[in-house]
Amino acid sequence: MKNSTNKTRKNKKETVWHKHGFALTDQQQKDFDRLLLKYNINNKTRFIVSRIFSESTKVVVIDQVSFEYHASLSNLINYFKALGVSYNVLVNRTDLPVDSQEILKDISKTTIELSKVCQEIIKLTIAFESKVLQTTRNYGS
């Protein structure tokens, strides 16, 4: 008799995989390799199955130029915020001497110029997003 103290395994439903093979011409293989490189596909099987059954496959392509632009823009925004906080602290001080009014006028002029620069940055960012970031990529191309 066998000892019944052994752990019993639960029967799990196992996925049955069926293998299929296919052949490509040289040109088809080049096109296939080009797609894999273009979209940085790591799992060929998942890609092929999604294409056969028309499932949607999402590919995230990191554009280095866009990434650097966003990082630089974030740094610039942080500088603007720090400048704005310093400006508000300076303007709202009540213990400033009378002769500091000239400095405040210069700061006010500089603030107006920075505001124009900020508006230009916003316009450039909107143009950048419409040209670069809003492009959609299709596997069929």
Side-chain angles (χ1 to χ4, degrees):
M1 286 176 102
K2 289 191 176 186
N3 191 355
S4 63
T5 59
N6 291 342
K7 294 181 182 179
T8 59
R9 291 186 184 180
K10 293 181 181 179
N11 290 334
K12 292 183 179 180
K13 290 183 180 178
E14 293 186 21
T15 303
V16 178
W17 292 96
H18 302 277
K19 292 185 179 184
H20 297 277
F22 61 94
L24 299 174
T25 65
D26 287 339
Q27 184 60 41
Q28 290 171 333
Q29 183 63 40
K30 287 178 185 176
D31 293 341
F32 182 68
D33 290 338
R34 204 173 297 127
L35 276 176
L36 295 177
L37 286 174
K38 181 178 180 181
Y39 295 107
N40 197 19
I41 304 295
N42 295 326
N43 189 333
K44 293 178 186 179
T45 304
R46 191 178 303 159
F47 174 71
I48 293 169
V49 169
S50 70
R51 295 301 296 158
I52 291 172
F53 295 110
S54 299
E55 297 172 1
S56 63
T57 303
K58 295 182 181 181
V59 176
V60 177
V61 179
I62 298 174
D63 185 8
Q64 192 63 30
V65 173
S66 301
F67 184 76
E68 290 173 4
Y69 180 81
H70 184 267
S72 298
L73 186 62
S74 296
N75 287 338
L76 187 61
I77 288 170
N78 289 335
Y79 288 133
F80 269 106
K81 286 179 182 179
L83 186 63
V85 169
S86 299
Y87 175 76
N88 284 336
V89 168
L90 183 63
V91 170
N92 292 329
R93 287 186 59 179
T94 57
D95 61 341
L96 290 175
V98 177
D99 60 343
S100 65
Q101 294 302 320
E102 278 299 317
I103 297 172
L104 287 177
K105 287 180 183 178
D106 288 342
I107 292 174
S108 178
K109 289 178 185 177
T110 305
T111 302
I112 292 171
E113 291 175 15
L114 286 175
S115 175
K116 291 177 183 176
V117 169
C118 187
Q119 290 172 355
E120 188 65 28
I121 290 170
I122 291 170
K123 289 178 187 176
L124 290 172
T125 301
I126 291 171
F128 178 79
E129 287 177 351
S130 66
K131 289 179 183 176
V132 177
L133 299 180
Q134 298 299 325
T135 59
T136 58
R137 295 184 172 98
N138 186 2
Y139 275 133
S141 61

